[in-house]
Amino acid sequence: MSTCNAKKALAVLATLPLVLLLTVFVSPAAGASNIEVQAPDQVTVGESVTVTVTVTNAGEPVVGGEVALAFVGGVGGESGWVVVATATTDATGSASLEYLQRALDATRMRVEYFGPDGQENTEFNIVIVDGPQLHQSDAGADIPILGVWWLVVVLAVVWVLIGLAAWRLLSIPRSTRPAARLARFVPRLMVGFIIFTAVGMFVVILTKPESHANLDPGQEFDRTPRALVGQVYEYPGLTAGDLAQTSNELDGRQLYVQAGCASCHSVGGDVGAVGGSIVGEDAPRSVQSLIDEIREGPKGMPAFSEGTLTEAEIEKIFDYLQTLPANS
Amino acid sequence: MIQPKTVAFLGAAGLTLALLAASRSGPVPTLLLGVLVVLGAVPVYLRRSFSAAPVEGGGPGDDNTALRETPVELSSGGSSRREALKRLSMGGAALAIPAAVGAPTVIDMWKAKASDGPATGPSGRTRQWGMIIDLRRCDGCQSQGTAPQCTLACIEGHFAPEPMEWIEAYEAEMAGGGTQFIPTPCQQCQNPPCVSVCPVTATFSTPEGTVLIDQDRCIGCRMCMAACPYDRRFFNWGDPPIPPEAMLADYSVEHQAPAKKGTVMKCDFCPEMARAGTLPYCVQACPNDAIYYGDLEEDIATNGREVVAFSTYIADNNSYRLKEELGTQPRVHYIPGHGELVGRDRFTEGRIATRWPWVERVKGAVTWRR
Amino acid sequence: MAALTTWESTLKERALAPTQASGRLYTAWLAGLGLVVAWGFVAYIYQWRNGLYATDMRDRISWGLYISAFVFFIGISHAGTLISAILRASNAGWRSPITRIAESITVVSLISGALFVIVDMGRPDRLYQFWLNGNWQSPLMWDMMAITIYLTASVVYLYVPMIPDLAMFRDNLEGRVSRFQMWLYQSLAIGWDNNETQRRSLAKSITVLMVLIIPIAVSVHTVVSWIFAMTLRVSWNSTIFGFFFVSGAIYSGVATLIIVLAVMRRIYHLEEYITPTHFKYLSYLLATMSLVMIYGNASEYITKGFKMTEEDRFAFEQLFAGDFASMYWFYFFGGLVLPALIVAFKPTRTIVGVVIASVFVDIAMFIERYFIVVAGLRVPTMPYEPSSYSPTWVEWSILASGFAGFMLLLTLFARFFPILAVWEMTEERTSDQTSQHDRELEPAP
């Protein structure tokens, strides 16, 4: 028993200096790891960027430290830190983090160092310049000699031959002795029909509407929702910047779509489906009247209970509606 | 602007007329053929007028702005769309009057419809929507005791007729025993078999990489359904069973409500939701945050909780795409799993059947089996 | 010379006789067909009002009887034009009595087939979209184009060699038919009086057409097969489909031609002109095609069966042992092997025997189209339970109406137009018997 205790005491004694050491070195120095960042001031979208990081601890380079590079990104109403590159520091305590610049609004960046005492961050900002389209779809195989012109040529040959066969008939009524006036009609109708059908076919081929617009993003595109007629519709999304300053209007915009208002009243609120337009002159007079309408569900509109939309949320929707232009 | 189709058309029309003149026929056949030729011209001019719109004054860039301004002109004329429709219905005569007179014609409506460019990011680059579905977190909503909530939310948001499940959680056998749930929306192929086979271009790929259907153009031949290798297209066999309020919704190709009898429908990837700054119904509804929606152009995706880099996330998690070997190049990526991260045992089989929430249906609506 | 004149006048009388066809049975036949067609219209109106809900096609088996009928009818359209064009081009003298009937089958079945596409459409009211927004990239659009060209070409090809016979009708039927009919013959005969210029024009026209129509006919059915083969469905994803469909088309086309010939021979007393020799030659063609089909089946199924992907396994099991097994084995033994055997043995190679073989072939080929469409679609593309399909009364009615319409149009064609190529048969006979003079006028390939 006693020997046992003695051993324990020894063990505790032996660990004490270790613990002390750790406390001395780690805890006061926790924020003291020095992270030096060398990043370009200005970056163009599509450019490959190298950020050099040097991690030192009390003047000593940190070898084999895990570092990561992240930026604040936003999409679909959400934003957060997005890690784009990771690396391990070398003997000099430095590491280079490489990534391809894709987002335009990723100006707020940080380097994360996962030291023995948890994560340490150093924030910095870069300026991003717009660049070219980066993601391109592709489909099928592009075989140089193949094209619609072959189809046109083949069809042209076929139609010309059919037309010639019918054309031959035109001379038959002419050579008959008592000229048959009635008889001329049939071959002419036939030739006319053949020309008409052939022309129609070529028109159909040559006026084919664009159907694979994904292969050429950014092109002019002739198909859009009618609900959006009247609006020049930029993609607003919510960028990281927007999200930083949340407001009733922005929340209201999300709620408006989430709760299904947009399903009936359209995204712009103006073209009216169930209850018609709810912007401009037709906009609700007060928050209370909007709450009443939503709870009651007038004129065939489904009623929304407290469980679906709280009063606070309705107020946000109200604020959003106020910002929408009439007849936009 | 002279286009090859115009040349071809005028050439053929001239040929016909020359033939008629040469054959010294009477007035009746000449007139008849003249009418035929004029009819042949109709598609040329209809198409020209709603695809190219105002072309005077320059390059493609200008074209785009011109197109974008068209709807503004329409509304600044003081007439809302409703009025425009009313005027349209006043009589066939209105159809023939050019836009200058004031009443919008069918052609104007088309022009207006042709207003919008693709959704561009803040930078002017085109967004490229994509999706990641993390099967490790999908338990087919077994733990919720409901049918898959992505499906339910999608149905409600889109007034989807019974029995269409635009995003459907298939239960698939796994190689080592047990099952996994695979929520399957339209895969938004970049080499879409359905788009290539549509005879009237009613289904098309957008610059944003999504595949949409124009139910105002669809002729219901169902060729696309035969071509789709993912069983992701649905047909309105009868009068679609949708709630009465859906009938009043304003139809657009990006928000396919109300459903139209005799046409094909499918998941549209909710671009109008993304524009409004929120996430698709299925993403919002997933209780386990298994579905990520994002933009491949800016390389970013979110499930509503966290934001990740699209390419890094799929690479780090060994993603795959359904039937990748077919070369359809889907935009929906899957991370293999069977719900293990949310505590599902792969031998717990069965999902709760989907029920359509419509209490009341439009008159004459019928439902059918899949 | 005298013998020839008698022969010729008998032939003329035989050719003119169908315009005078009457009798209780004939009226009943017409009325019966008319009723079935009318019933089909009733069914179609029902379908128009209710949508395709009236059928049993659903999302997972989205094509059914209509598309099968479409493929079948386009198939039998090969009866005529292709056969008559090949025989004409190869200058086979025995063809003359049967070409007209063959060509009329082509036109009539193309019309019936094209109508089934419209019947199958969910929105037939938007047919104009093909024209307004047509997408030439789509196999269905290729089909529209190919069928339009084929229909135009075969109408011309039916009409052009018919002109001298229409003139014969015009000259011989005065007072025996209605005034409208006379007006019709007068306009359609376009003033034919058999002079040198006219005969040269006609010969040239026919030469161009008969060469042109062969590639067109082959392309049409190839393109029909591509509606299926251009998709990623496993049972359709096959390079042999074009070949398979074309040979199937010729096979069922020849069979239909044999049946129609036998019926017309009997009803219009054409025994003297349509002889057992014709049936013998056609039956050889039938037997050849059945062997080609058997080879095609072997080639298709053995290559796939050896590799046996998961989906192939499903497709095979349902076809050879499952829901479609009875259909498949009837098709294989009843529709491919049996006809070949009937033709192979001399005692059964009679007109009756050949006609029975042809009936088997036609039924089997319809079944083949059916299981290509339905069984092909039934193979699940995703993990779901395979669906089922059993046509409703609407579909059966419209199908019946399609067949009745086919027969009705053929009957009416025989009633109003010359079903024998009298001038060609006369020329054939003349050149056999006498001068070289006429032979020069005969269209040479």
Side-chain angles (χ1 to χ4, degrees), chain C residues 120-438:
Chain C
D120 186 67
M121 276 167 60
R123 295 298 292 246
D125 53 318
R126 293 185 185 158
L127 199 60
Y128 64 91
Q129 287 288 359
F130 272 112
W131 184 46
L132 201 61
N133 292 304
N135 174 13
W136 58 261
Q137 237 175 351
S138 160
L140 213 61
M141 199 67 198
W142 305 343
D143 225 38
M144 295 290 283
M145 291 177 179
I147 289 175
T148 309
I149 292 176
Y150 191 34
L151 188 57
T152 314
S154 42
V155 168
V156 178
Y157 187 58
L158 170 66
Y159 171 67
V160 172
M162 199 162 65
I163 294 170
D165 296 329
L166 285 164
M168 190 266 288
F169 267 38
R170 176 197 61 193
D171 299 338
N172 291 290
L173 280 175
E174 189 71 64
R176 287 161 78 180
V177 293
S178 68
R179 274 177 59 198
F180 167 74
Q181 237 168 301
M182 277 318 289
W183 175 84
L184 192 71
Y185 298 141
Q186 268 163 10
S187 3
L188 289 179
I190 56 169
W192 178 268
D193 59 4
N194 205 17
N195 63 41
E196 196 71 10
T197 336
Q198 289 180 338
R199 281 201 277 181
R200 204 176 303 121
S201 294
L202 195 74
K204 280 190 176 155
S205 186
I206 293 177
T207 311
V208 171
L209 283 169
M210 78 188 177
V211 175
L212 183 63
I213 209 109
I214 298 171
I216 293 180
V218 171
S219 76
V220 169
H221 224 74
T222 310
V223 168
V224 167
S225 83
W226 285 350
I227 290 185
F228 305 100
M230 292 289 166
T231 68
L232 292 162
R233 299 258 167 186
V234 67
S235 0
W236 297 346
N237 192 356
S238 161
T239 49
I240 205 176
F241 252 47
F243 163 79
F244 214 178
F245 270 50
V246 172
S247 32
I250 299 172
Y251 190 43
S252 60
V254 174
T256 311
L257 180 60
I258 290 174
I259 297 169
V260 173
L261 279 180
V263 172
M264 291 217 173
R265 176 178 192 259
R266 187 72 178 272
I267 291 174
Y268 299 123
H269 308 291
L270 306 176
E271 287 87 351
E272 196 187 330
Y273 313 105
I274 303 173
T275 59
T277 319
H278 288 111
F279 288 94
K280 196 172 83 184
Y281 287 169
L282 286 174
S283 76
Y284 290 161
L285 193 51
L286 195 72
T288 314
M289 292 320 293
S290 93
L291 297 179
V292 171
M293 289 296 288
I294 290 171
Y295 170 71
N297 269 274
S299 171
E300 162 89 355
Y301 293 124
I302 291 172
T303 47
K304 280 192 173 172
F306 186 84
K307 291 164 290 190
M308 203 64 113
T309 64
E310 197 185 335
E311 287 147 315
D312 276 330
R313 177 185 295 277
F314 183 92
F316 274 50
E317 275 170 4
Q318 68 171 1
L319 199 56
F320 300 138
D323 292 2
F324 297 90
S326 52
M327 283 185 188
Y328 182 80
W329 295 116
F330 172 78
Y331 153 76
F332 191 81
F333 287 112
L336 300 182
V337 178
L338 182 69
L341 290 178
I342 290 178
V343 175
F345 297 108
K346 203 161 186 199
T348 49
R349 205 193 301 140
T350 58
I351 293 182
V352 178
V354 172
V355 169
I356 289 172
S358 300
V359 171
F360 268 97
V361 169
D362 265 348
I363 295 172
M365 285 312 291
F366 187 88
I367 287 174
E368 194 230 11
R369 304 323 191 184
Y370 178 84
F371 69 64
I372 282 182
V373 174
V374 177
L377 282 167
R378 189 168 174 269
V379 181
T381 52
M382 295 294 285
Y384 57 76
E385 280 302 302
S387 192
S388 65
Y389 170 68
S390 54
T392 60
W393 68 270
V394 175
E395 288 169 279
W396 288 120
S397 306
I398 292 177
L399 181 73
S401 160
F403 280 100
F406 172 76
M407 291 185 244
L408 186 65
L409 282 175
L410 266 187
T411 317
L412 290 177
F413 179 84
R415 163 109 197 166
F416 290 108
F417 296 98
I419 50 166
L420 290 180
V422 175
W423 70 279
E424 280 189 284
M425 289 165 72
T426 317
E427 268 185 14
E428 185 66 29
R429 180 120 177 154
T430 320
S431 66
D432 277 358
Q433 288 191 349
T434 51
S435 69
Q436 285 294 101
H437 175 73
D438 280 328

Side-chain angles (χ1 to χ4, degrees), chain B residues 345-365:
Chain B
D345 168 22
R346 70 179 189 279
F347 296 105
T348 338
E349 289 181 13
R351 50 163 256 204
I352 290 116
T354 310
R355 292 184 61 187
W356 275 253
W358 320 131
V359 185
E360 218 183 316
R361 293 196 171 100
V362 288
K363 242 174 89 185

Side-chain angles (χ1 to χ4, degrees), chain A residues 36-257:
Chain A
E36 258 179 58
V37 179
Q38 275 181 303
D41 296 334
Q42 185 173 312
V43 174
T44 313
V45 168
E47 198 183 316
S48 192
V49 186
T50 311
V51 173
T52 316
V53 184
T54 314
V55 188
T56 49
N57 198 338
E60 291 295 306
V62 175
V63 182
E66 297 283 321
V67 287
L69 185 66
F71 70 89
V72 179
V75 66
E78 300 297 326
S79 78
W81 287 102
V82 181
V83 175
V84 283
T86 52
T88 313
T89 54
D90 59 11
T92 59
S94 67
S96 56
L97 294 149
E98 282 175 38
Y99 72 102
L100 184 72
Q101 184 65 46
R102 305 185 74 138
L104 184 70
D105 59 344
T107 53
R108 205 177 140 208
M109 304 200 79
R110 76 180 184 194
V111 168
E112 297 166 354
Y113 164 59
F114 304 94
D117 195 41
Q119 185 177 336
E120 293 169 50
N121 305 317
T122 307
E123 285 202 23
F124 61 98
N125 285 299
I126 53 171
V127 176
I128 300 170
V129 183
D130 202 359
Q133 181 82 22
L134 297 175
H135 187 95
Q136 299 268 355
S137 296
D138 65 327
D142 189 16
I143 300 166
I145 52 160
L146 279 186
V148 65
W149 298 107
W150 285 103
L151 183 66
V152 171
V153 167
V154 169
L155 288 180
V157 168
V158 169
W159 277 114
V160 164
L161 288 176
I162 298 177
L164 279 181
W167 186 279
R168 278 269 152 207
L169 302 182
L170 288 172
S171 69
I172 291 180
R174 241 179 269 149
S175 64
T176 186
R177 274 179 300 273
R181 278 203 76 79
L182 186 63
R184 290 186 172 175
F185 182 65
V186 171
R188 272 176 209 157
L189 188 70
M190 207 170 235
V191 173
F193 177 80
I194 287 170
I195 293 176
F196 166 72
T197 318
V199 168
M201 203 169 272
F202 290 118
V203 166
V204 166
I205 291 172
L206 295 173
T207 60
K208 174 193 179 297
E210 181 57 59
S211 61
H212 287 80
N214 61 321
L215 302 182
D216 187 10
Q219 67 173 269
E220 168 196 316
F221 187 61
D222 74 343
R223 218 67 87 72
T224 22
R226 267 192 279 152
L228 303 177
V229 165
Q231 297 178 8
V232 176
Y233 225 93
E234 287 287 317
Y235 169 78
L238 291 183
T239 61
D242 287 340
L243 288 161
Q245 29 178 302
T246 28
S247 67
N248 273 6
E249 289 85 26
L250 285 172
D251 286 354
R253 179 157 95 191
Q254 288 187 54
L255 284 165
Y256 180 77
V257 183

Side-chain angles (χ1 to χ4, degrees), chain A residues 102 104 130 133-135 137-138 167 188 196 199 207 211 214 218 223-224 226 235 253 257-258 273, chain B residues 5 12 19 23 25 47 113 116 120 123 125-127 190 204-205 216-217 248 273 276 284 297 329:
Chain A
R102 305 185 74 138
L104 184 70
D130 202 359
Q133 181 82 22
L134 297 175
H135 187 95
S137 296
D138 65 327
W167 186 279
R188 272 176 209 157
F196 166 72
V199 168
T207 60
S211 61
N214 61 321
R223 218 67 87 72
T224 22
R226 267 192 279 152
Y235 169 78
R253 179 157 95 191
V257 183
Q258 278 169 15
Chain B
K5 59 194 174 192
L19 164 76
S23 60
S25 67
R47 276 220 59 74
K113 199 176 167 187
D116 209 8
T120 48
S123 60
R125 289 179 286 152
T126 307
R127 294 277 184 175
Q190 296 311 291
F204 54 96
S205 294
D216 281 344
R217 186 182 284 185
L248 297 159
M273 303 283 282
Q284 286 179 25
E297 174 62 22
Q329 303 179 21

